[in-house]
Amino acid sequence: MRPGAESLHGRRRVSAACIAMVGLVCWAGGLSTANGQQKQEDAYATQVKPILEKNCYGCHTAAMKGGLRLDSKAAMLHGGESGPVVSPGHPESSLLVKAIKYKDKDLQMPPSGALPAGDVAAIEQWIRDGAPAMDEAALPAAGTANAQADAGVSPRVASAQEQYFETKVRPLLASKCYGCHTGTEAGGLRLDSREAVLKGGKDGVVVDAAHPENSMLLKAIHYQSKALQMPPTGQMENADIAVIEQWVRDGMVWPKGMAAVQTATVTDKDRSFWSYQKPVKPAVPAVRSKWAYNDLDRFVLAKQSEMHVAPVRDADKRTMIRRVTYDLTGLPPTPQEIVAYMADKSPDAYAKLVDRLLASKAYGERWGRVWLDVVRYADTSGEGADFPVPEMYKYRDYVVQAFAEDKPYNRFIQEQIAGDLLPAKTEPEHWQNIIATGYLANANHADDPISDAVDNIGYAFLGTTIACARCHDHKFDPVPTADYYGIYGVLASSKFSNTGWEDVRYERDMIYRDPNVVKSQEYRDFETQLKPIADSIKAVHTLPYFDDVLPALEARRMALFQNAPQFESAYGVVEGAPHDEHIQHFGDKKNLGDEVPRHFLQVLGNADLPAGTKGSGRLEMANWIASPDNPVTARVMVNRIWQGHFGRGIVATPNDFGKRGLPPSDQALLDYLATEFVEKGWSVKAMHRMILLSHTYQLSSEDSAAAELVDPENEYLWRHSRSRMDAEEIRDSMLATSGTLDLSPAGAQPFPSEAEWNYSGHRPFSAVYETNRRTLYVMAQRTRRHPYLGLFDGANTSSSVGQRDSSVTPLQALYFMNASFPRTCAANLAQQLESAHVPEQEEIKRAFFTIYGRPATKLEIDHAAEFVEQITAIYEAHDTAAHDAGGQAAGDKAALEKTAHDKALGNLLQALYASNEFMFID
């Protein structure tokens, strides 16, 4: 999904760490070393605040880039996503001082150049004095929900941190620690509240907030000392240890503050919140202006008039073909497409362009990738050994095809949740419906896959943080724990495919295309041979030590799988034994509460299973979510589409439409789009057309000083926001422009066969498969991010990604300079240009047009030609010297010159790829 809008046109987005550091340097750079509270506050008002207003407020007020605000003292002291950067009284350990001293090449702030020595000394002295003039008493305890809200932490960041605690940390504490460290207070230590954790026990403080790595808690779970090993029953998995470490590093966020729902009944007052009310189509504003191309524009223009901002001029045709082609396909327009579009003078030229792009295969791939972000798609299981899921690609391809054919969104929902239960006219249609349930089966197996599936249903379809009700009633939204386990029971009544775990290192419960396979002699013979081996392996795993026995058994199992019969199968979900589930206190399956009947979220209405339901309830749940009466379903999806084109949703927290999310910038517009979506048959492409043909979408990204004063974040769309291409767009563009993009069907990942599967928590699966296909088809591993995708903010495959981060870092620049992939793409494009046998200046012109989609200026051509000439001479001299030193014959001078020129031209193309103009879209 397109990264968020920028605060100033042309400004590059930077990483959260850089944002926080830059903002704090702006603040600290103007500090006075004057003594006395009054003088300090006067200095802030006269010296610091003007600097902030001029240099920092564009990003660090309402936009809260990097989770940081700089317009209040509390917000400044709290810091941003990178955590504390100032250690009062200790400048030597303060991250801020390290950055502004420019002694660490990887940490130098501000990036524009080092501060004067006097400013650095002043900041050091200020920190040494205890960072005075900051009213620490006014700030709530760090790490709590109230602290985040009062300190101005982005709701998106705060919500993500709270969800991390509720879905990852609290269940671990409940299962591993609460047995001893709640009411019983073993060792005088309680671990059931943030205050108790910070207080510590008889052995002292267990968490060092200033230096998390020194925390006794982390030392205990790492088993660093024989005298201190927790939990005593056995060391936690590495993945679980990493969860606790991350939580401590992030400041031990522990949601509290607002009263929790105390009963399992949701009231009409609860349902009065805006997102729980069914959208009603609003009247279109009576805007008298020729500027509006459609009703969408009338809503936007009415809001702009209300806020006293005016839209800028329109984007030119060349900008528009690049913008809309990337938005719909994730690929650059070809030079031929640009020339044809520029030559088309018909009034409907742009509309025809939009229709052509929507009809392309590339559209399905681009918007399929957007959906895969939301449903945390991965090709591996996420369990400790992270087993491959060889059949998962079928779900990926199903999603791509669903968007390409404009499958109605309500049907898309039904197929993914209950495809196996839907009627089908043909066997191929039924098989695709089965594959669609891979959505549920693709749950993260690191903890409880059913809980992960419940959580994602909330994020993806309902924009609701159901996950926060797993351990207790939701602290902010009217979602009782009973509702969570009502949905949990629906999914627990289904059977999930599994691709392997520690003691079963092969696939189980796969869904066969021919259900009679299980009756075949071939299948039964194999299972008969497997059973005694599998039983022995399971028995061995119950022993305290089994390293001397297990390898031989696994070797027998792998030898058997070398001749395993192969049947067409899918990784999905089918019906199991219908039953209700008990509430799991603190998410602990051993600490059960009342049994709750299967049902859905009360706050969204019609929550009860229909009378007479005989199956799991999945089909009924799918119909409930996909109903036009559901107040959030259509809103959530149109908001995702809007975000994909403008960089920011009308609701800027796309996975959270609750009280902790941000309110809509224009609810009337959101409700208009939602109701239109349903009326137009839940057609995603119809929504694209409405948005893309609006005047609002076709604005330029130029600045307006007057509008920026009123709306620096462009919340009211007075211009189009410039954005950095995402990881897939950057890589795919290099492949496309270099002529090396493989458009053939991708198919399955080249995983090892099951006969080679011997993975475990200590030896997990890990691989990187190189390919020249679109990045959508690169193998996505759950526990290890692909190196390239990690560098360019690719999706997190372990949790739902409503909106990606977008950073610009030195490592990214180094990637373009040194990595083999951009060098190879540049070399391939250089060979293509050379093969045309045109003059050098023509090569340069074609290079600029291919990579940038525009003609090069005369100055650019001259500079580029000079560069190529100089670098060619260097390569030629080097190659000649190498021949002479080796005692070889002089060789063909023309061949040496050509080789040197090809290398130099490749270097020029590499520089073009590394530029902002290539990576940013206006």
Side-chain angles (χ1 to χ4, degrees):
M1 187 117 355
R2 181 79 57 213
E6 298 176 90
S7 60
L8 294 174
H9 95 285
R11 174 178 290 159
R12 297 187 306 170
R13 291 172 60 88
V14 297
S15 68
C18 292
I19 289 167
M21 290 302 303
V22 169
L24 285 169
V25 167
C26 290
W27 159 54
L31 284 175
S32 168
T33 57
N35 295 321
Q37 183 68 26
Q38 187 59 48
K39 289 184 179 180
Q40 289 164 344
E41 294 196 0
D42 289 344
Y44 174 82
T46 60
Q47 298 178 33
V48 179
K49 189 174 181 181
I51 295 174
L52 296 176
E53 289 175 340
K54 181 180 179 181
N55 299 302
C56 308
Y57 278 13
C59 289
H60 297 295
T61 52
M64 296 171 57
K65 298 296 176 66
L68 177 68
R69 291 188 73 130
L70 295 173
D71 53 355
S72 75
K73 290 183 179 180
M76 285 189 273
L77 189 60
H78 185 276
E81 292 175 5
S82 299
V85 295
V86 171
S87 180
H90 302 282
E92 70 282 355
S93 61
S94 294
L95 194 61
L96 174 59
V97 173
K98 293 178 182 178
I100 62 177
K101 281 193 169 183
Y102 265 56
K103 289 186 177 180
D104 185 340
K105 65 180 182 179
D106 296 323
L107 182 63
Q108 296 181 346
M109 293 290 158
S112 56
L115 294 174
D119 288 351
V120 174
I123 294 170
E124 282 190 283
Q125 185 60 49
W126 170 73
I127 296 175
R128 189 174 293 110
D129 291 341
M134 294 291 104
D135 184 8
E136 296 182 50
L139 203 70
T144 67
N146 278 353
Q148 293 169 332
D150 295 345
V153 173
S154 163
R156 177 181 163 201
V157 175
S159 179
Q161 291 174 333
E162 290 168 1
Q163 290 168 21
Y164 184 83
F165 177 82
E166 296 292 4
T167 60
K168 305 289 186 183
V169 180
R170 196 192 291 270
L172 277 178
L173 295 177
S175 62
K176 305 292 185 182
C177 311
Y178 283 4
C180 297
H181 295 290
T182 51
T184 54
E185 297 190 39
L189 176 67
R190 294 185 67 127
L191 294 175
D192 52 356
S193 74
R194 188 174 191 277
E195 292 74 16
V197 175
L198 290 175
K199 180 181 178 182
K202 293 178 181 178
D203 293 326
V205 176
V206 296
V207 171
D208 185 341
H211 303 283
E213 68 280 1
N214 297 331
S215 298
M216 190 186 303
L217 174 63
L218 299 187
K219 292 179 180 179
I221 63 176
H222 272 289
Y223 275 46
Q224 290 181 358
S225 167
K226 290 184 178 180
L228 184 64
Q229 296 182 346
M230 294 292 162
T233 54
Q235 188 175 8
M236 295 162 59
E237 294 286 342
N238 290 337
D240 294 340
I241 292 173
V243 166
I244 300 297
E245 286 182 320
Q246 185 65 47
W247 173 61
V248 173
R249 282 198 300 269
D250 288 345
M252 294 171 51
V253 171
W254 198 304
K256 63 166 54 177
M258 297 180 68
V261 179
Q262 295 300 320
T263 71
T265 301
V266 176
T267 67
D268 289 341
K269 182 179 179 181
D270 294 324
R271 295 189 181 95
S272 66
F273 188 70
W274 75 268
S275 63
Y276 306 142
Q277 297 285 310
K278 181 182 175 181
V280 176
K281 193 168 190 176
V284 177
V287 177
R288 297 180 180 180
S289 173
K290 294 182 179 179
W291 185 88
Y293 292 171
N294 58 19
D295 285 345
L296 183 159
D297 286 329
R298 294 181 177 89
F299 281 97
V300 172
L301 198 56
K303 181 62 72 171
Q304 289 176 348
S305 299
E306 177 186 335
M307 302 308 297
H308 304 290
V309 294
V312 299
R313 67 176 178 83
D314 294 354
D316 58 38
K317 287 187 72 174
R318 196 178 299 278
T319 298
M320 285 308 304
I321 186 173
R322 188 169 191 262
R323 178 190 299 172
V324 74
T325 302
Y326 271 112
D327 271 8
L328 287 180
T329 70
L331 293 171
T334 66
Q336 297 78 12
E337 290 168 344
I338 295 172
V339 169
Y341 179 64
M342 296 299 290
D344 189 348
K345 305 301 181 183
S346 62
D348 62 344
Y350 176 66
K352 290 187 294 185
L353 169 64
V354 170
D355 286 340
R356 175 177 66 79
L357 295 171
L358 286 172
S360 68
K361 175 191 174 187
Y363 161 78
E365 293 172 324
R366 171 61 184 169
W367 280 83
R369 178 63 260 180
V370 172
W371 184 253
L372 294 179
D373 277 17
V374 175
V375 299
R376 40 82 175 104
Y377 173 85
D379 291 299
T380 60
S381 67
E383 183 266 346
D386 205 19
F387 279 84
V389 185
E391 298 80 9
M392 203 62 234
Y393 78 95
K394 297 177 182 179
Y395 171 72
R396 176 201 68 200
D397 292 350
Y398 158 82
V399 170
V400 169
Q401 184 59 31
F403 278 93
E405 68 185 28
D406 198 21
K407 186 183 293 288
Y409 181 64
N410 58 340
R411 175 72 183 190
F412 186 53
I413 295 170
Q414 293 167 328
E415 289 178 357
Q416 291 178 93
I417 294 176
D420 58 309
L421 302 175
L422 294 173
K425 295 179 181 178
T426 65
E427 189 278 336
E429 180 186 348
H430 175 69
W431 183 236
Q432 286 302 305
N433 290 346
I434 292 285
I435 289 171
T437 66
Y439 158 69
L440 291 175
N442 196 220
N444 191 341
H445 286 246
D447 179 24
D448 177 1
I450 295 177
S451 285
D452 188 69
V454 174
D455 300 348
N456 194 265
I457 286 172
Y459 298 136
F461 301 112
L462 305 174
T464 303
T465 56
I466 300 176
C468 295
R470 178 183 178 186
C471 298
H472 52 71
D473 290 352
H474 201 297
K475 295 290 187 180
F476 307 103
D477 298 331
V479 181
T481 304
D483 284 8
Y484 184 96
Y485 288 98
I487 296 176
Y488 189 101
V490 170
L491 298 183
S493 298
S494 306
K495 183 182 294 185
F496 285 56
S497 294
N498 198 298
T499 190
W501 55 95
E502 188 74 25
D503 57 347
V504 181
R505 299 176 185 180
Y506 47 90
E507 294 183 322
R508 295 279 85 182
D509 297 320
M510 305 303 291
I511 304 172
Y512 296 107
R513 186 162 190 173
D514 179 1
N516 292 319
V517 156
V518 296
K519 300 177 183 178
S520 69
Q521 191 64 44
E522 191 177 14
Y523 178 90
R524 289 187 295 175
D525 287 348
F526 179 79
E527 290 294 319
T528 299
Q529 297 176 67
L530 176 62
K531 188 177 187 305
I533 302 174
D535 290 345
S536 298
I537 291 173
K538 187 174 183 180
V540 164
H541 271 277
T542 64
L543 301 175
Y545 301 101
F546 49 76
D547 289 347
D548 55 339
V549 180
L550 186 61
L553 289 171
E554 290 291 358
R556 287 181 59 195
R557 189 264 310 164
M558 290 188 288
L560 178 63
F561 268 89
Q562 288 179 357
N563 298 305
Q566 301 298 312
F567 306 106
E568 185 174 0
S569 61
Y571 191 72
V573 170
V574 294
E575 289 288 81
H579 67 279
D580 295 328
E581 282 282 329
H582 290 262
I583 290 175
Q584 300 170 14
H585 292 307
F586 303 111
D588 183 358
K589 292 183 178 181
K590 296 179 181 179
N591 187 1
L592 299 180
D594 295 338
E595 184 178 276
V596 294
R598 282 164 286 149
H599 67 282
F600 318 131
L601 297 188
Q602 300 173 55
V603 73
L604 299 181
N606 302 313
D608 295 331
L609 274 181
T613 298
K614 295 181 179 179
S616 65
R618 268 189 302 118
L619 179 59
E620 290 75 12
M621 181 169 67
N623 291 336
W624 170 76
I625 294 173
S627 169
D629 292 328
N630 192 304
V632 291
T633 306
R635 281 176 171 146
V636 169
M637 187 55 184
V638 296
N639 189 66
R640 295 193 193 282
I641 299 169
W642 184 273
Q643 177 179 280
H645 293 306
F646 293 106
R648 174 189 175 117
I650 299 172
V651 174
T653 48
N655 279 3
D656 188 358
F657 277 46
K659 294 178 182 178
R660 291 290 286 166
L662 289 172
S665 57
D666 189 339
Q667 186 182 338
L669 173 59
L670 178 64
D671 287 353
Y672 174 80
L673 294 172
T675 52
E676 279 284 299
F677 186 38
V678 175
E679 289 176 8
K680 293 182 182 299
W682 301 81
S683 167
V684 172
K685 288 188 178 182
M687 301 311 297
H688 283 302
R689 287 190 186 91
M690 181 189 301
I691 293 171
L692 298 176
L693 297 180
S694 70
H695 201 163
T696 305
Y697 179 77
Q698 297 175 54
L699 294 176
S700 75
S701 61
E702 70 179 23
D703 200 8
S704 165
E708 190 176 309
L709 285 174
V710 178
D711 179 23
E713 305 311 314
N714 193 32
E715 189 173 352
Y716 303 109
L717 302 170
W718 48 270
R719 63 170 172 82
H720 198 85
S721 294
R722 195 181 194 217
S723 62
R724 197 210 76 187
M725 289 195 288
D726 63 30
E728 288 83 355
E729 289 172 320
I730 293 171
R731 182 178 177 277
D732 294 352
S733 294
M734 286 192 282
L735 286 170
T737 54
S738 65
T740 55
L741 180 62
D742 183 353
L743 296 175
S744 63
Q749 300 294 346
F751 289 129
S753 71
E754 282 184 276
E756 300 175 56
W757 289 12
N758 197 25
Y759 311 115
S760 67
H762 298 290
R763 297 184 304 276
F765 168 77
S766 179
V768 173
Y769 302 128
E770 299 298 335
T771 178
N772 279 356
R773 292 188 173 89
R774 293 196 66 171
T775 313
L776 163 74
Y777 301 113
V778 170
M779 194 271 287
Q781 191 166 348
R782 185 151 269 156
T783 60
R784 295 193 181 190
R785 203 182 250 185
H786 188 285
Y788 168 81
L789 294 174
L791 182 59
F792 286 94
D793 310 300
N796 181 347
T797 55
S798 293
S799 59
S800 176
V801 178
Q803 182 173 23
R804 292 191 191 179
D805 293 328
S806 182
S807 64
V808 176
T809 69
L811 288 177
Q812 293 169 358
L814 290 172
Y815 171 84
F816 282 105
M817 292 173 61
N818 301 315
S820 61
F821 183 81
R823 286 204 311 270
T824 301
C825 289
N828 287 332
L829 179 53
Q831 289 178 5
Q832 289 184 50
L833 296 172
E834 282 287 307
S835 66
H837 303 294
V838 296
E840 183 178 272
Q841 290 205 347
E842 180 61 25
E843 289 180 341
I844 293 170
K845 290 179 182 179
R846 294 184 180 187
F848 271 76
F849 205 92
T850 299
I851 294 175
Y852 292 157
R854 64 164 178 84
T857 66
K858 184 179 184 306
L859 185 61
E860 287 171 331
I861 294 171
D862 291 344
H863 284 171
E866 181 182 0
F867 171 85
V868 172
E869 181 180 348
Q870 291 176 351
I871 302 303
T872 298
I874 293 172
Y875 279 128
E876 191 174 347
H878 178 272
D879 292 345
T880 301
H883 275 76
D884 294 343
Q888 302 175 19
D892 185 354
K893 182 178 180 181
L896 285 176
E897 289 179 350
K898 183 180 184 307
T899 300
H901 179 270
D902 289 352
K903 291 179 181 178
L905 182 58
N907 289 163
L908 171 66
L909 301 176
Q910 205 173 336
L912 297 184
Y913 282 138
S915 66
N916 275 2
E917 184 169 353
F918 171 71
M919 285 198 295
F920 283 77
I921 302 171
D922 283 315

